[in-house]
């Protein structure tokens, strides 16, 4: 009887991590109201490293939106 041996394929693992990261980044960008294609592509290219960039961009976009709506008028 021969044992089945599964060879470890690092390329397959890397590609699957990048694809999963792209899907998650696209979903998070959609939920935050950011550009979905841009963040999906960035997740596909950079992988999980792009997640802190997304969080920073999301926070800056939120602060920009809040500061515009909270303008006080001096009389």
């Amino acid at each position: 009887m021969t044992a089945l041996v599964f060879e470890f394929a690092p390329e397959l693992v890397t590609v699957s991590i990048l694809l999963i990261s792209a899907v998650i980044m696209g979903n998070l960008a959609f939920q935050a109201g950011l550009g979905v294609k841009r963040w999906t592509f960035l997740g596909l290219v950079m992988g999980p490293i792009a997640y802190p960039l997304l969080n920073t961009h999301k926070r800056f976009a939120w602060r920009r939106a809040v500061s515009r709506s909270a303008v006080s008028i001096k009389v």
Side-chain angles (χ1 to χ4, degrees):
M1 246 175 124
T2 62
L4 292 175
V5 178
F6 295 104
E7 292 184 21
F8 181 69
E11 298 88 12
L12 181 64
V13 173
T14 303
V15 169
S16 63
I17 287 174
L18 291 175
L19 286 174
I20 291 170
S21 177
V23 170
I24 290 173
M25 294 285 286
N27 190 15
L28 291 173
F30 178 74
Q31 290 176 356
L34 301 174
V36 176
K37 290 180 195 175
R38 177 184 309 149
W39 289 104
T40 303
F41 178 72
L42 200 61
L44 183 63
V45 171
M46 294 181 68
I49 297 171
Y51 181 71
L53 295 173
L54 175 73
N55 281 337
T56 303
H57 187 78
K58 184 169 54 171
R59 185 185 56 183
F60 284 152
W62 179 77
R63 290 181 81 184
R64 192 178 324 126
V66 168
S67 67
R68 288 184 183 165
S69 66
V71 175
S72 62
I73 301 173
K74 293 183 181 181
V75 179

